[in-house]
């Protein structure tokens, strides 16, 4: 039972009073009797003679005059400071308020004793959210900084932050890229929850950074792993003038394009299947349209995108080379809004509807290309030049739906869905007649029908809950499906005199992969020095590959004849796998200049009767050698249980997704990176440089004698016979120089990298370069900030 009273010397205000509830008046009186005694002691008036002496001497004199004890640390520099005392009589509490004001000391009065303590040792918890003032959307990875103590906090993926600060007046700086800085003054006397609303900045002035160790360390540490928002993505213009997420990723130093600039992206020599792309916690297996030119994610719905190519946090798993974590916008909860964007190749539509102000909203977005007339015209002209009747068309589209509801002050519900697809079709027909060597007239006709398409379908439900000012959780259920499908139908008719022969050839390939994901993630903030993340992820995945072929040659073909060869098409059973992971992350500020990120991910993978276990440790050490200069060292081990078999880097429908099993081992990767980052005091000039080495085991590839997934067979279930597993090792150097002005922005990047593969059944066992390796990459960009 607390029988004391605690005070902070500021205008005589009481910091806190303990209240008790008891069932009887007697217990109430007995419990408060010592407290009342302490209150009487605080109000007792005593006189001190006028003097100027150290604070410690005056406190001892006050205790003697009040006939109580006093406790404090005589080594504190605060008690050695001289104070001036007037000759007067007042209460003990008034004397303490007068003596301790602006000293950084507080006091506690108990029966017969006065305890002096340092306010710097006391902390109150300030927690809450960062949001857009105009739309009510939460701001991911914004910063809250206290210049007085040099400490700060970064908001998590849902805009929540938690920070422990000393009591008293504080002037906080709240910042987010593309928004005006907010200066917030408060007098912190207890644990508080706040909501910081930031206004978007139309004009980005010069950035002046004062003494902000935490915010500077956070920024420099993200040069290699950049965080992008919608404003940053709009600065990266790609093919045909389209701004796009995939274009922004291509600008990163360690990223290479595929064949002829297509095929998505390859990070530090890794394969196309080694990049994890998440949209609201649901994976995208092919995150690009048009064979890698455009991202499947509508740029207008992106709230934030975090790209990692080194130092992967333990909460991410299942891929080796990179992680792109995209969070979509929540929607405007204040006013209805809309946007229409008509560009060279596509039309984009975005609508935001607040269903209940400040409580719920609905976001709808769509995009479709409108090049159909141009594609069809080109196909017809090409056919006329070659004597064929040609008709072709290609387009892609995206549809997004996002709903969110505030259930209570502590709970929020999010529903999101996505559907996107690429569609290509070509029909051609040829007819001609000729005279045979025997002098007979022969007629020949053929018809070709080609169809090609791939699609992504995603859906997720997320529940956020703030349990208290230190514990935040997110529960997610997600579904993801990806499908390749290609169809080729060829019909030929040849008339030789009175005899007619018809031939029909049909081929269809399809590959489907489906994910069912459940996960629970927790953020815990015990104090400013530690930030813990932990959780459990469960992933059920089904692979369904299949090939169907039919060739028929008859005198006369009819639908019934063909249908006997094309019975109802069914997928092969494929594989069903289950992976369960537990992870723990620790972000530890062990020194004013040092930060250590530790992580461990434990995964159990099951495919039929085959099980694999993996421990994946992660480490990132950051040290700020000087105010504007930082070093970092990262080491990580990653595991991957899914493989992509392909002959190209363009993402063709013959690509086959397969799972590790009793004969195909999971891929693993160990990577070590060391780097340094420097920024001038005004942040106009920034430079970063990193060197890395990585080693991969059990990478998968077709052997030289293999064909596209066994096209002569009726299925792709025997793909293991045509593959080999090997190793890959790579090393490189990456550097980036940036110059930021109020009007101009420019950057220059250079990367040198080498990656070698070794397989026992390829190249006689000797090492050879990885596909699409370009040892040197140099890029430069200059743009005006309008």
């Amino acid at each position: 039972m607390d029988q004391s009273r605690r005070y902070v010397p500021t205008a005589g205000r009481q910091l806190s009073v303990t209240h008790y509830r008891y069932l009887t008046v007697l217990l109430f009186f007995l419990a408060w009797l010592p407290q009342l005694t302490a209150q009487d002691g605080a109000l007792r008036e005593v006189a001190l003679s006028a003097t100027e002496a150290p604070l410690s001497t005056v406190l001892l004199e006050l205790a003697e005059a009040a006939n109580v004890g006093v406790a404090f640390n005589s080594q504190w520099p605060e008690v050695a400071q001289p104070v001036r005392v007037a000759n007067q009589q007042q209460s003990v509490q008034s004397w303490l308020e007068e003596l301790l004001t602006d000293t950084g000391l507080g006091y506690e009065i108990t029966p017969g004793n006065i305890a002096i303590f340092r306010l710097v040792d006391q902390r109150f918890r300030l927690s809450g959210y960062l949001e857009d003032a105009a739309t009510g959307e939460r701001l991911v990875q914004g910063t809250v900084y206290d210049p007085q103590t040099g400490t700060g906090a970064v908001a998590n993926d849902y805009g929540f932050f938690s920070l422990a600060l000393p009591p008293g007046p504080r002037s906080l700086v709240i910042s987010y890229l593309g928004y005006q800085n907010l200066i917030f003054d408060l007098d912190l006397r207890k644990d508080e929850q706040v909501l910081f609303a930031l206004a978007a900045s139309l004009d980005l002035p010069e950035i002046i950074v004062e003494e902000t160790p935490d915010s500077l360390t956070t920024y420099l540490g993200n040069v290699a792993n950049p965080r992008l928002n919608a404003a940053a993505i709009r600065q990266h213009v790609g093919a045909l003038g389209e701004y796009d997420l995939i274009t922004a990723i291509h600008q990163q130093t360690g990223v290479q394009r595929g064949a002829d600039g297509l095929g998505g992206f390859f990070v530090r020599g890794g394969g196309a299947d080694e990049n994890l792309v998440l949209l609201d916690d649901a994976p995208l297996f092919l995150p690009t349209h048009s064979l890698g030119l455009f991202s499947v994610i509508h740029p207008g719905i992106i709230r934030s995108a975090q790209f990692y190519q080194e130092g992967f946090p333990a909460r991410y798993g299942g891929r080796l080379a990179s992680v792109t974590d995209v969070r979509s916008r929540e929607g405007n909860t204040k006013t209805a809004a809309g946007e229409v964007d008509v560009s060279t190749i596509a039309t984009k539509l975005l609508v935001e509807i607040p269903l209940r102000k400040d409580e719920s909203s609905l976001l709808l977005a769509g995009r479709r290309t409108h090049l159909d007339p141009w594609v069809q015209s080109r196909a017809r002209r090409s056919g006329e030049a070659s004597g064929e009747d040609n008709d072709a068309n290609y387009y892609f589209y995206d549809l997004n739906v996002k709903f969110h509801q505030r259930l209570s002050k502590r709970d929020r519900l999010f529903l999101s869905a996505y559907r996107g697809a690429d569609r290509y079709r070509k029909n051609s027909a040829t007819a001609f007649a000729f005279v045979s060597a025997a002098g007979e007239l022969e007629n020949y006709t053929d018809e070709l029908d080609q169809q090609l398409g791939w699609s992504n379908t995603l859906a997720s439900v997320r529940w956020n809950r703030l349990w208290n000012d230190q514990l935040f959780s997110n529960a997610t259920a997600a579904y993801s499906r990806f499908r390749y499908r290609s169809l080729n139908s060829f019909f030929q008719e040849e008339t030789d005199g009175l005899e007619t022969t018809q031939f029909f050839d049909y081929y269809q390939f399809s590959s489907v992969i489906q994910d069912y994901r459940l996960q629970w993630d927790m953020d815990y903030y015990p104090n400013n020095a530690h930030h813990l993340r932990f959780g459990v992820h469960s992933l059920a995945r089904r692979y369904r590959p299949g090939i169907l072929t039919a060739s028929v040659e008859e005198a006369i073909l009819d639908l019934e004849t063909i249908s006997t060869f094309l019975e109802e098409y069914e997928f092969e059973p494929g594989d069903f796998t289950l992976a369960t992971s537990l992870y723990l992350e620790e972000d530890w500020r062990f020194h004013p200049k040092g930060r250590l990120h530790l992580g461990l991910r434990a995964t159990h993978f099951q495919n039929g009767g085959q099980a694999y276990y993996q421990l994946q440790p992660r480490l990132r050490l950051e040290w700020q050698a000087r105010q504007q200069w930082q070093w970092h060292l990262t080491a990580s081990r990653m595991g991957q249980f899914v493989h992509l078999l392909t002959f190209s880097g363009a993402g063709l429908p013959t690509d086959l997704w397969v799972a590790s099993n009793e004969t195909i081992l999971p891929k693993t990767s160990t990577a070590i990176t060391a780097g340094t980052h420097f920024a001038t005091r005004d942040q106009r000039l920034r430079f970063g440089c990193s060197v890395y080495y990585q080693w991969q085991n059990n990478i998968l590839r077709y052997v030289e004698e293999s064909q596209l997934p066994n096209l002569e067979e009726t299925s792709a279930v025997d793909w293991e016979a045509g593959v080999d597993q090997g190793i890959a090792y790579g090393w490189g150097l990456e550097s980036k120089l940036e110059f930021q002005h109020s009007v101009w922005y420019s950057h220059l990047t250079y990367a040198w990298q080498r990656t070698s593969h070794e397989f026992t059944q390829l190249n006689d066992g000797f090492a050879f370069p990885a596909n699409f390796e370009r040892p040197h990459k140099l890029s430069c960009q200059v743009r005006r900030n309008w």
Side-chain angles (χ1 to χ4, degrees):
M1 184 182 301
D2 187 358
Q3 298 179 351
S4 64
R5 299 185 58 101
R6 299 172 66 87
Y7 300 91
V8 173
T10 170
R13 292 180 57 186
Q14 182 174 314
L15 175 62
S16 63
V17 179
T18 308
H19 299 282
Y20 299 87
R21 294 182 179 178
Y22 293 91
L23 300 178
T24 64
V25 175
L26 177 62
L27 291 178
F28 181 86
F29 176 77
L30 292 177
W32 274 83
L33 184 58
Q35 192 78 312
L36 294 174
T37 303
Q39 178 69 12
D40 290 343
L43 298 178
R44 182 185 308 158
E45 291 194 352
V46 296
L48 296 179
S49 56
T51 184
E52 182 174 350
L55 175 59
S56 57
T57 302
V58 178
L59 288 175
L60 292 173
E61 182 181 346
L62 174 64
E64 183 179 356
N67 195 25
V68 296
V70 62
F72 56 87
N73 189 337
S74 60
Q75 302 300 317
W76 289 342
E78 293 88 345
V79 299
Q81 297 297 320
V83 294
R84 184 183 299 275
V85 178
N87 187 3
Q88 60 180 346
Q89 182 171 335
Q90 57 183 351
S91 67
V92 173
Q93 179 178 338
S94 298
W95 275 117
L96 291 172
E97 288 286 342
E98 179 181 330
L99 294 172
L100 301 183
T101 297
D102 297 329
T103 63
L105 300 175
Y107 63 93
E108 181 179 10
I109 300 177
T110 59
N113 190 55
I114 300 174
I116 308 298
F117 57 87
R118 303 179 78 182
L119 294 179
V120 72
D121 298 329
Q122 188 178 27
R123 291 288 190 273
F124 289 122
R125 179 69 55 174
L126 181 70
S127 61
Y129 293 90
L130 274 63
E131 71 172 30
D132 187 304
T135 66
E137 289 193 77
R138 298 291 163 83
L139 301 179
V140 177
Q141 301 291 311
T143 59
V144 179
Y145 178 70
D146 178 24
Q148 294 172 261
T149 60
T151 58
V154 179
N156 68 5
D157 292 337
Y158 299 93
F160 174 76
F161 74 93
S162 182
L163 181 65
L165 294 171
R170 318 229 68 81
S171 184
L172 305 178
V173 180
I174 300 91
S175 60
Y176 186 73
L177 181 64
Y179 285 71
Q180 299 176 9
N181 284 358
L182 175 65
I183 309 299
F184 187 83
D185 297 321
L186 78 162
D187 192 4
L188 191 62
R189 300 298 173 188
K190 60 180 180 179
D191 293 343
E192 291 191 21
Q193 286 192 4
V194 294
L195 178 64
F196 293 134
L198 278 69
S201 177
L202 299 179
D203 300 316
L204 295 178
E206 296 184 37
I207 303 173
I208 305 298
V209 177
E210 302 296 338
E211 297 288 335
T212 56
D214 271 39
S215 66
L216 180 62
T217 299
T218 301
Y219 176 79
L220 292 181
N222 284 333
V223 170
N225 300 328
R227 183 176 65 251
L228 304 168
N229 60 10
I233 292 172
R234 288 177 183 267
Q235 302 296 329
H236 296 278
V237 179
L240 300 177
E242 290 284 308
Y243 61 89
D244 193 81
L245 174 62
I246 201 74
T247 305
I249 292 176
H250 284 153
Q251 294 291 329
Q252 307 312 312
T253 53
V255 179
Q256 300 278 9
R257 296 175 184 263
D260 298 323
L262 303 178
F265 57 97
F266 299 79
V267 179
R268 291 184 173 178
D273 61 328
E274 296 175 7
N275 303 309
L276 176 63
V277 180
L278 298 171
L279 176 59
D280 291 336
D281 292 324
L284 288 162
F285 284 89
L286 186 63
T288 58
H289 289 301
S290 303
L291 305 181
L293 281 178
F294 307 102
S295 167
V296 301
I297 303 174
H298 187 306
I301 70 156
I302 296 177
R303 182 179 52 164
S304 71
Q306 178 71 59
F307 178 73
Y308 295 95
Q309 60 179 334
E310 64 179 46
F312 302 96
R315 58 187 178 274
Y316 299 113
R319 296 293 194 276
L320 304 185
S322 74
V323 176
T324 306
D325 189 358
V326 180
R327 303 286 169 165
S328 64
R329 293 176 52 190
E330 299 173 359
N332 197 322
T333 61
K334 299 182 182 297
T335 59
E339 177 182 329
V340 178
D341 184 357
V342 181
S343 66
T344 308
I345 66 167
T347 297
K348 309 180 194 68
L349 176 67
L350 178 67
V351 178
E352 300 173 83
I353 306 172
L355 303 179
R356 188 173 181 181
K357 189 172 183 179
D358 296 328
E359 297 289 337
S360 62
S361 71
L362 179 66
L363 182 147
L364 304 172
R367 174 175 61 167
R368 190 192 188 280
T369 57
H370 43 62
L371 295 179
D372 307 46
W374 181 82
V375 175
Q376 292 170 348
S377 175
R378 292 282 299 176
R380 284 194 296 268
R381 284 200 294 265
S382 175
E384 291 171 358
S386 59
E388 296 180 349
D389 183 11
N390 259 0
D391 183 25
N393 193 19
Y394 168 76
Y395 66 91
F396 67 78
Y397 69 88
D398 301 299
L399 296 173
N400 293 86
V401 179
K402 181 73 171 286
F403 167 80
H404 93 273
Q405 172 70 50
R406 182 182 178 185
L407 304 177
S408 68
K409 290 183 177 180
R410 294 181 176 269
D411 301 273
R412 282 201 173 201
L413 182 69
F414 300 86
L415 306 175
S416 58
Y418 166 79
R419 167 71 178 181
D422 289 66
R423 295 286 183 260
Y424 170 77
R425 181 164 187 168
K426 178 182 179 182
N427 301 100
S428 64
T430 304
F432 58 90
F434 61 94
V435 178
S436 67
E440 296 181 351
L441 181 64
E442 296 186 8
N443 295 291
Y444 176 87
T445 61
D446 67 57
E447 296 178 4
L448 176 65
D449 181 17
Q450 293 180 319
Q451 298 181 35
L452 170 65
W454 57 91
S455 62
N456 289 282
T457 304
L458 311 180
S460 64
V461 180
R462 288 172 295 156
W463 167 47
N464 293 169
R465 177 165 180 79
L466 178 60
W467 297 92
N468 54 49
D469 55 11
Q470 295 176 269
L471 186 62
F472 180 91
S473 73
N474 178 68
T476 302
Y479 168 79
S480 175
R481 189 188 79 160
F482 171 72
R483 179 173 184 174
Y484 273 138
R485 181 176 179 270
S486 67
L487 181 150
N488 286 273
S489 174
F490 178 75
F491 174 79
Q492 176 184 319
E493 181 181 85
E494 184 174 348
T495 302
D496 183 6
L498 299 176
E499 183 179 351
T500 298
T501 302
Q502 294 178 331
F503 175 79
F504 177 75
D505 189 16
Y506 181 91
Y507 157 67
Q508 175 177 295
F509 175 85
S510 185
S511 179
V512 177
I513 183 168
Q514 294 172 296
D515 274 8
Y516 304 87
R517 179 185 298 257
L518 293 174
Q519 63 187 59
W520 183 274
D521 303 282
M522 308 286 286
D523 284 68
Y524 177 54
Y525 304 82
N527 52 51
N528 291 345
H530 298 273
H531 177 193
L532 296 176
R533 294 176 184 257
F534 52 93
V536 57
H537 294 178
S538 182
L539 172 64
R541 177 173 290 165
R542 179 175 293 279
Y543 304 79
R544 304 174 69 188
I547 293 178
L548 176 66
T549 62
S551 297
V552 187
E553 183 175 355
E554 296 287 343
I556 297 295
L557 287 174
D558 56 23
L559 183 60
E560 183 177 352
T561 303
I562 297 175
S563 64
T564 59
F565 293 89
L566 299 179
E567 297 179 354
E568 182 179 357
Y569 178 69
E570 294 183 0
F571 284 103
E572 293 293 332
D575 291 322
F576 182 82
T577 65
L578 181 65
T580 302
S581 301
L582 300 172
Y583 75 88
L584 173 65
E585 295 178 26
E586 159 73 308
D587 184 359
W588 177 26
R589 188 62 181 266
F590 64 92
H591 188 274
K593 295 184 177 182
R595 187 187 296 269
L596 184 63
H597 305 261
L598 295 171
L600 180 64
R601 186 180 184 90
T603 301
H604 169 263
F605 175 81
Q606 187 82 32
N607 184 359
Q610 181 64 46
Y612 293 100
Y613 303 87
Q614 286 188 351
L615 287 179
Q616 303 170 18
R618 320 284 171 81
L619 177 147
R620 180 180 178 89
L621 173 64
E622 298 175 2
W623 184 263
Q624 196 154 344
R626 297 179 182 177
Q627 179 63 30
Q628 312 298 129
W629 192 8
Q630 175 191 305
W631 294 86
H632 75 267
L633 174 69
T634 69
S636 62
R637 183 171 177 82
M638 307 286 285
Q640 181 170 329
F641 302 97
V642 61
H643 308 263
L644 179 65
L645 292 172
T646 180
F647 274 112
S648 75
L652 296 176
T654 48
D655 291 351
L656 184 66
W657 291 92
V658 296
S660 296
N661 51 35
E662 62 275 3
T663 59
I664 303 301
L665 300 176
K667 293 195 284 188
T668 60
S669 173
T670 302
I672 300 175
T673 304
T676 183
H677 303 283
F678 171 80
T680 57
R681 187 175 184 80
D682 59 5
Q683 290 283 291
R684 288 184 178 181
L685 186 66
R686 297 183 291 269
F687 174 75
C689 181
S690 298
V691 293
Y692 70 89
Y693 180 83
Q694 60 185 13
W695 179 284
Q696 294 183 359
N697 290 312
N698 306 320
I699 62 174
L700 196 65
R701 184 163 176 165
Y702 284 123
V703 297
E704 294 174 346
E705 304 81 22
S706 64
Q707 302 293 323
L708 290 176
N710 254 347
L711 299 185
E712 297 179 357
E713 303 294 334
T714 58
S715 71
V717 295
D718 297 324
W719 55 268
E720 294 99 327
V723 300
D724 188 21
Q725 288 196 281
I727 62 173
Y729 46 92
W731 56 94
L733 177 146
E734 300 168 358
S735 60
K736 184 174 185 178
L737 179 66
E738 293 180 280
F739 178 73
Q740 173 73 60
H741 190 263
S742 58
V743 178
W744 294 97
Y745 168 83
S746 62
H747 77 239
L748 178 67
T749 65
Y750 171 74
W752 174 82
Q753 63 180 27
R754 299 302 302 268
T755 304
S756 295
H757 290 178
E758 287 187 14
F759 294 86
T760 57
Q761 301 183 52
L762 290 171
N763 198 38
D764 296 326
F766 293 102
F768 58 92
N771 287 348
F772 317 117
E773 180 184 75
R774 301 176 182 88
H776 302 278
K777 177 186 176 182
L778 179 66
S779 66
C780 179
Q781 181 183 15
V782 179
R783 69 170 183 261
R784 180 180 175 86
N785 296 323
W786 298 99

